[in-house]
Amino acid sequence: MLKAILPERLLTQTQFLANYPNPFNPETWIPFQLSQDADVTITIYDVAGRAVRKMQLGHLTAGSYSQTEKAIYWDGKTENG
């Protein structure tokens, strides 16, 4: 019933949006959308496919995380700094 009333507010898929600024130096924000509540972890890889940073964001509710204060923030550093 809610889909009929508020179709534009319900997200149908979880997705990453374009990071900004792009290209970044030395930091970036990665906006995303969740179609349902979820435990969220992001892993960032270098161009060779090696994991350089893993961030656990915890349990988040469905919705849009596109504002700077809600998006994923990455300072460009690896796990070792």
Side-chain angles (χ1 to χ4, degrees):
M1 182 169 181
L2 285 177
K3 286 184 182 181
I5 298 169
L6 302 169
E8 71 281 357
R9 294 193 178 266
L10 297 177
L11 301 172
T12 58
Q13 63 182 354
T14 294
Q15 62 183 344
F16 284 110
L17 305 172
N19 67 301
Y20 56 88
N22 186 6
F24 73 93
N25 185 16
E27 59 191 14
T28 191
W29 285 263
I30 307 166
F32 62 101
Q33 297 176 336
L34 292 177
S35 62
Q36 58 188 344
D37 297 358
D39 291 322
V40 178
T41 300
I42 181 174
T43 304
I44 298 174
Y45 297 88
D46 66 14
V47 294
R50 295 180 297 250
V52 296
R53 185 77 182 265
K54 185 175 185 177
M55 294 180 271
Q56 296 182 353
L57 305 177
H59 191 80
L60 300 177
T61 57
S64 179
Y65 294 83
S66 56
Q67 297 90 0
T68 303
E69 62 274 359
K70 291 184 177 183
I72 299 165
Y73 169 76
W74 181 41
D75 59 9
K77 295 180 181 178
T78 65
E79 291 290 342
N80 300 325

